[in-house]
Structures are given as C-alpha cells and as structure tokens.
C-alpha cells in the first residue's frame, strides 16, 4: 500500500475500497469531504465528484484528517506521506506531508503539504507541451514557496 500511495497507483485504491466495501469507503469519503452521501459515486474514490472539489475544500479536508483523531493507522499513513515529502521535494523535515494529484487530461497539477497544524494547497494550471508526467515541474515552485514559509528572510526593512 505504501508503494501504491507513493506512485499514485489508482488500481490499488479501487481494489482496497472493494475489499473494505465500496459503501463504507464512500461514506468515509463523503464524511471527510463533507459531501452529501448521494453525491459520492464509485468514481469519488479517485477524486471525481458530481459538483467537483475545490482546492480549498480538499486542503481543509486534509487538514482535518491529519490533525484530528490520530490513531496508529493515521500514524502509518503519515510516515508514508512524510516519505513522499522527503523524496519528491528533497527536504528532510519531520512531520511534513505531501500528497499530489492531477486533474482531467493532466492539465492541472495539485499538491497538498501539511506541516505542524498548517496545510497548504498548491495548484499549477499549466501543462507544458509534451509533459505527460504526473508532477511536471510543480515541485520546483512548491519547494521555493515552502522554503520561504519555513525560512523567512532574517533581515526586514521597513520603508
């Protein structure tokens, strides 16, 4: 499962949802995203919803999930998400998490980063020509933004 999450292997998530039970999985997703149950379809397991999910809604859902009711299963998940953060951003920070995704036709790339009690959502609305990779160059922009948040300039000048 760790490897499937690291590589965003959607087939694994569908298979696991089937083993857990599709209805139980959809109820969990519906509760987590605060969607009406009737708007949760099997395609919701991979992120598709009837009315869509905003980046804000997704970021807020990750924040709630990663900060409330931490149990051993969530701790294991957090270890995997920290491994993804370290490997994909090449930044060694404890308790920092990363989950990436793409929208239809690989046109937009998104990343959710969580550190301490703060969760950030990044969206890149650009797909350079012939770039069919899942992440494209979004990490370069995220890394720059993340470093500026955790290491603000030490010299402040007031004008």
């Amino acid at each position: 499962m760790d490897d499937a999450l690291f590589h965003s292997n959607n087939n694994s998530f569908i298979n696991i949802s089937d083993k857990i039970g599709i209805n139980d999985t959809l109820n969990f997703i519906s509760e987590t995203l605060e969607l009406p149950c009737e708007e949760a379809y099997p395609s919701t397991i991979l992120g598709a919803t009837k009315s869509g999910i905003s980046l804000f809604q997704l970021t807020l859902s990750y924040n709630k999930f990663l900060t409330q009711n931490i149990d051993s299963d969530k701790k294991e998940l957090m270890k995997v998400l920290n491994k993804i953060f370290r490997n994909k951003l090449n930044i060694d920070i404890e308790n920092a998490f990363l989950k990436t995704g793409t929208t239809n036709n690989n046109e937009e790339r998104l990343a959710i980063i969580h550190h301490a009690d703060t969760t950030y959502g990044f969206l890149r609305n650009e797909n350079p020509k012939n770039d069919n990779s899942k992440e494209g160059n979004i990490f370069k922009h995220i890394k720059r933004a993340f470093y500026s948040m955790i290491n603000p300039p030490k010299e402040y000048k007031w004008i």
Side-chain angles (χ1 to χ4, degrees), residues 7-86:
H7 294 290
S8 296
N9 183 333
N10 291 338
N11 291 333
S12 297
F13 296 106
I14 292 169
N15 291 336
I16 288 170
S17 297
D18 186 49
K19 287 182 181 182
I20 293 171
I22 297 293
N23 288 335
D24 289 340
T25 302
L26 293 177
N27 287 336
F28 172 77
I29 292 171
S30 162
E31 183 181 307
T32 302
L33 294 176
E34 297 180 10
L35 293 173
C37 287
E38 59 273 7
E39 286 191 27
Y41 303 102
S43 59
T44 307
I45 294 166
L46 301 180
T49 65
K50 182 178 178 181
S51 56
I53 302 170
S54 71
L55 181 62
F56 176 77
Q57 183 182 13
L58 187 61
T59 304
L60 184 62
S61 296
Y62 267 93
N63 182 273
K64 287 180 183 177
F65 182 77
L66 292 169
T67 59
Q68 297 175 2
N69 305 320
I70 305 300
D71 60 14
S72 60
D73 290 334
K74 279 190 184 178
K75 286 180 183 178
E76 276 302 309
L77 173 63
M78 291 171 163
K79 285 180 187 177
V80 175
L81 294 175
N82 183 250
K83 177 182 171 186
I84 293 170
F85 179 92
R86 289 170 187 231

